[in-house]
Amino acid sequence: MAINIKRPNGTEDVLPKDVHRWQTVEKIARETADSFGFSEIRIPTFENTELFMRSVGETTDVVQKEMYTVMAKETKFTLRPEGTAGTIRAMLQNGLLNEALPQRVYYILSCFRHERPQAGRLREFHQFGLEMAGSPSPSADAEVISLAKNILDRLGLKNIKLYINSIGCPTCRAKYHEALRNYFENRKDELCETCHERLEKNPMRILDCKSPVCQEIAKNAPVILDFLCDECGEHFEKLKKYLGNLGIEYNVNPKIVRGLDYYTKTVFEFVTDEIGAQGTVCGGGRYDGLIEQLGGQKVPALGFAMGIERLLIVMDKQKCEFLTPRKCDIYFATMGDESLEKAMSISHELREYGYRAEFDLMGRGIKAQMKYANKIGASFTVVLGDNELSQGTAKVKDMETGGEVEISLDDKFRVNFESLYFNKMMDSLEDGEMLNNLNGDVK
Ligand code: ATP
Ligand code: MG
């Protein structure tokens, strides 16, 4: 019986023809983060469940409804629903916070949340994210926001709005919670069931509720900005000033509370209204209490995460350009064993120098091989027939122009091919073509 197993709902395959889109986002995000002094960190795909309970927060949707948890030999593990908790855990476990501060790390990873799959909302999705630990200063907030903005700009995205808010510290929040409770208590009967519980445990979560009725009620709720203590208020004012200096446009939106519990002071989102309800492409903020909460010293920190799938949806919609995928530089059409061995040895050397070289592995005839070379878009082809082998030279054909150059099949082949290749590059540069490929260099 044929096996007919499909990928699970809410997961995606990225095929070779599309992978350059992902690589474009990853390359630009990496390079931008690097230019701001961030280095990459890699963390496990699963962690002890308790890590997420304690950091993301027990009253959040993520912990209450969305985590994939397995019981494995009496230990509870959870597939990471986000990257911050694991990253901070890794910083603590490896003593990074005892080194030079601020510590700056970024990551590209998959996250897992049991949600209802739809466009831009998956069960396995990918984030580019980063965390900076050690600085209490609003200049760090401005730095992180400007980094995110830089990535969006370099990807060519337009019309992405930045919303910022401050959700204060535990001191100002205590007063705010009281005001919220008083407000919602009066309309308790109209709230959804989950919000009843939120009202008790964490009334700010009601502001994040997706139910239209709760959203309508929340419209007139007191806003946190009216409850900020002096320190939090000043922090927010400074941040706005820095963003202004940097020429970064922002909108203050007091309704942004973010879906995770660990935030303090600054929270922000980059949102587009061009892709429907799933328009938040980046979310982040400050979490000054989290490190201590996870057993570390009192070290302030902040970060953000971007949803790569959502970025790609907006990039497609806005027809942003992707870096061109790598194509075959040179294809050797072979006839017989001696010819194949020659192709192997020359290809080996060319590959050492970074060229993408291919030859026949299917035992096809010359005509079929040339058809294949065309299909894969080879820049140059060489036929290694009996004549070529006996003369020790072969014609290297530029598949675009049809022009041919004879090159000897000895140890000078690579150098001669390289100059041919370089000239072609220069010609296409003169024709105004960009060298926007994924290699980042001439090839
Ligand atoms: P949303 O309100 O859309 O559910 P969130 O507040 O749960 O987002 P975060 O936890 O802040 O999202 O994650 C950061 C980013 O990761 C989001 O801004 C979004 O771009 C992306 N993201 C979150 N959940 C998903 C998902 N299920 N599928 C695809 N991308 C997601
Ligand atoms: Mg969510």
Side-chain angles (χ1 to χ4, degrees):
M1 198 175 69
I3 300 180
N4 186 14
I5 302 175
K6 302 264 166 58
R7 60 172 182 267
N9 263 346
T11 63
E12 280 181 350
D13 301 308
V14 181
L15 302 179
K17 73 176 173 50
D18 295 319
V19 80
H20 67 286
R21 299 160 71 252
W22 283 76
Q23 289 167 341
T24 300
V25 173
E26 291 163 8
K27 183 175 196 295
I28 288 177
R30 276 204 165 89
E31 285 175 1
T32 312
D34 185 76
S35 73
F36 277 73
F38 285 73
S39 303
E40 184 169 352
I41 189 166
R42 298 191 185 191
I43 54 168
T45 308
F46 61 94
E47 300 272 357
N48 278 295
T49 302
E50 200 194 339
L51 176 70
F52 301 114
M53 309 282 278
R54 285 183 41 181
S55 54
V56 173
E58 291 187 42
T59 58
T60 59
D61 279 359
V62 170
V63 167
Q64 287 195 337
K65 305 187 229 163
E66 298 171 2
M67 294 204 311
Y68 284 99
T69 298
V70 289
M71 197 67 196
K73 306 240 188 253
E74 292 163 16
T75 311
K76 248 183 174 179
F77 294 112
T78 295
L79 294 178
R80 62 185 171 218
E82 51 97 66
T84 303
T87 301
I88 296 301
R89 197 263 318 128
M91 281 186 167
L92 286 170
Q93 186 165 355
N94 297 285
L96 299 193
L97 298 173
N98 305 323
E99 294 175 15
L101 297 181
Q103 279 291 307
R104 282 177 275 213
V105 297
Y106 73 83
Y107 48 79
I108 297 176
L109 43 72
S110 48
C111 300
F112 306 85
R113 296 186 192 176
H114 188 82
E115 306 204 64
R116 194 168 66 78
Q118 50 201 293
R121 192 173 292 287
L122 293 148
R123 291 183 172 168
E124 179 184 21
F125 63 99
H126 297 78
Q127 289 188 340
F128 170 84
L130 52 84
E131 318 294 340
M132 185 201 283
S135 171
S137 159
S139 59
D141 306 41
E143 182 86 338
V144 161
I145 291 174
S146 121
L147 202 174
K149 165 93 175 113
N150 237 282
I151 293 175
L152 301 175
D153 288 348
R154 287 192 204 182
L155 290 173
L157 292 164
K158 305 262 168 347
N159 307 324
I160 310 268
K161 279 205 172 128
L162 165 63
Y163 293 99
I164 60 170
N165 187 26
S166 173
I167 55 171
C169 60
T171 316
C172 18
R173 221 174 302 163
K175 283 189 222 141
Y176 181 55
H177 277 179
E178 205 180 299
L180 274 184
R181 272 203 193 96
N182 288 339
Y183 174 82
F184 285 118
E185 198 66 52
N186 288 331
R187 306 192 58 179
K188 193 173 171 183
D189 297 345
E190 299 161 69
L191 294 174
C192 75
E193 212 157 288
T194 326
C195 279
H196 280 177
E197 200 183 319
R198 290 173 174 144
L199 187 56
E200 298 275 306
K201 292 188 179 153
N202 193 347
M204 257 166 84
R205 291 265 72 82
I206 301 175
L207 303 177
D208 216 23
C209 182
K210 305 262 176 349
S211 131
V213 180
C214 299
Q215 274 180 11
E216 189 56 37
I217 300 171
K219 267 188 185 154
N220 296 318
V223 296
I224 177 81
L225 291 175
D226 296 332
F227 293 81
L228 293 186
C229 66
D230 288 350
E231 191 201 319
C232 291
E234 230 166 79
H235 188 100
F236 197 49
E237 288 310 309
K238 274 258 176 79
L239 168 64
K240 288 192 281 185
K241 178 166 169 270
Y242 293 144
L243 291 178
N245 292 347
L246 288 165
I248 297 176
E249 279 177 40
Y250 61 84
N251 305 274
V252 174
N253 181 352
K255 289 275 140 63
I256 294 182
V257 292
R258 314 274 315 115
L260 315 173
D261 259 0
Y262 47 60
Y263 289 107
T264 51
K265 291 185 175 153
T266 312
V267 286
F268 61 92
E269 287 181 355
F270 285 89
V271 183
T272 167
D273 54 15
E274 291 177 24
I275 59 165
Q278 268 61 253
T280 309
V281 292
C282 173
R286 185 170 268 288
Y287 48 87
D288 288 347
L290 179 63
I291 295 178
E292 198 180 18
Q293 205 174 305
L294 290 178
Q297 309 103 300
K298 199 168 162 32
V299 180
L302 69 165
F304 70 70
M306 292 180 171
I308 300 182
E309 284 85 355
R310 287 191 197 175
L311 287 176
L312 288 171
I313 295 174
V314 194
M315 285 179 76
D316 284 339
K317 185 96 199 249
Q318 299 190 353
K319 304 206 162 36
C320 295
E321 277 188 36
F322 294 100
L323 299 174
T324 45
R326 190 76 192 278
K327 286 215 172 114
C328 176
D329 294 319
I330 183 163
Y331 181 85
F332 294 92
T334 59
M335 294 164 77
D337 233 24
E338 197 188 335
S339 157
L340 178 63
E341 283 171 25
K342 192 82 190 163
M344 279 179 173
S345 72
I346 302 179
S347 295
H348 181 75
E349 183 176 355
L350 288 171
R351 289 167 180 165
E352 293 273 294
Y353 282 79
Y355 292 95
R356 183 157 172 168
E358 286 190 44
F359 45 82
D360 180 55
L361 298 169
M362 303 290 292
R364 292 185 176 118
I366 287 285
K367 224 169 140 189
Q369 291 188 46
M370 293 310 284
K371 213 168 148 187
Y372 171 80
N374 251 320
K375 243 189 197 164
I376 61 169
S379 298
F380 293 94
T381 54
V382 190
V383 177
L384 295 180
D386 291 343
N387 284 346
E388 284 80 2
L389 292 179
S390 63
Q391 285 163 15
T393 67
K395 288 190 181 116
V396 179
K397 182 175 176 185
D398 181 327
M399 294 297 277
E400 202 181 4
T401 64
E404 291 184 325
V405 173
E406 189 134 345
I407 300 186
S408 63
L409 293 170
D410 53 21
D411 43 7
K412 288 200 210 69
F413 186 92
R414 197 259 307 161
V415 179
N416 288 323
F417 174 69
E418 212 150 19
S419 81
L420 195 64
Y421 191 92
F422 187 73
N423 287 339
K424 185 177 167 62
M425 277 296 143
M426 293 324 267
D427 286 350
S428 55
L429 262 188
E430 276 163 23
D431 292 345
E433 277 178 37
M434 293 281 288
L435 280 181
N436 243 348
N437 64 36
L438 275 163
N439 254 9
D441 55 20
V442 183
K443 266 156 248 132

